Amino acid sequence: MPESSAKKLLILIGSPRREGNSATLARAVQEGAEAAGARVALRFIDDHITSFLRDCRTCRRADGECSIQDGFRSLFFEDFLPAAGVVFCSPIYWYGLSAQTKAFFDRTFCYYAASYPDSARVIEGMTRKRIGLVLASEETYPGASLGIIHQIQEYARYTHSEFVGLARGIGNSRGEVTRDPAASLANAEALGREIFERKFSDYRIDTPRSGRVWSE
Ligand SMILES: Cc1cc2nc3c(=O)[nH]c(=O)nc-3n(C[C@H](O)[C@H](O)[C@H](O)COP(=O)(O)O)c2cc1C
């Protein structure tokens, strides 16, 4: 596929550990996506965000821009908004997303809020993406990830996006996820490879359908 027509995938890593488990899984997603022809940007959120969301009424600049001086604006406008797909890769912290990952979601508010002059364009860019989720955790039981899955599902619903898949890897020390016998790296790689192609369905009672999912 020519470089210019390839779909853009953003992989956001929400761990501070450069060689950690989220990053290891994220690189597997990247390998899969690149093998499938996507243009991939991989970013550590804490290279770009150094502050939580503040009260926009008190800190928005006169021209409408956010006054927080960090790299969020370029991460959001140059990498996130143009991406056709985003894979969030976070460690499970206290049965939730890492603060880095949550801060990314919160900081978007400054730009889609009506008080930002170009919010309509921002909202357009935030909608209709393919969304993937990658989680690293020490514990294995499914319930440890449920709150996060629910949050991402609601985020996808709210932004008219498609939450197409989850890959979870188990490990605690840096990179230990490579020894996870549940093939979590292969699952992450498959998520990257299929992020733009994987079948997505979310029916309503009146959704027209044939009764079969896969063609014969
Ligand atoms: C502050 C903190 C909270 C954590 N909370 C949980 C938890 O609730 N459940 C869990 O299974 N692991 C928990 N862990 C372990 C991490 O999820 C695990 O070490 C993960 O592999 C780290 O990913 P990383 O290498 O990408 O940073 C926690 C770790 C930290 C530092």
Side-chain angles (χ1 to χ4, degrees), residues 78-192:
E78 289 163 31
D79 291 323
F80 184 84
L81 292 180
V86 180
V87 178
F88 296 95
C89 303
S90 177
I92 295 183
Y93 280 177
W94 288 103
Y95 309 104
L97 290 166
S98 68
Q100 289 89 330
T101 313
K102 182 60 164 57
F104 177 86
F105 285 110
D106 294 352
R107 289 281 300 276
T108 65
F109 175 77
C110 183
Y111 292 109
Y112 70 76
S115 46
Y116 181 65
D118 210 10
S119 61
R121 187 172 69 93
V122 170
I123 289 170
E124 178 62 28
M126 286 181 72
T127 56
R128 285 170 246 287
K129 294 187 191 298
R130 302 280 284 186
I131 303 287
L133 176 64
V134 169
L135 296 173
S137 68
E138 179 179 4
E139 295 170 87
T140 64
Y141 80 106
S145 60
L146 283 184
I148 301 174
I149 294 169
H150 189 217
Q151 181 175 7
I152 299 299
Q153 185 176 323
E154 291 305 312
Y155 173 82
R157 182 192 56 77
Y158 189 70
T159 59
H160 301 290
S161 297
E162 295 180 339
F163 180 17
V164 297
L166 163 72
R168 181 166 167 202
I170 305 300
N172 198 27
S173 65
R174 280 177 184 74
E176 192 187 4
V177 73
T178 55
R179 296 205 292 278
D180 179 356
S184 51
L185 285 182
N187 290 337
E189 195 267 341
L191 178 61

Side-chain angles (χ1 to χ4, degrees), residues 42-60:
L42 182 143
R43 307 278 184 253
F44 284 88
I45 293 173
D46 66 5
D47 282 339
H48 303 268
I49 295 185
T50 61
S51 170
F52 297 130
L53 178 71
R54 297 183 192 151
D55 179 347
C56 295
R57 286 193 184 188
T58 60
C59 81
R60 192 182 289 288

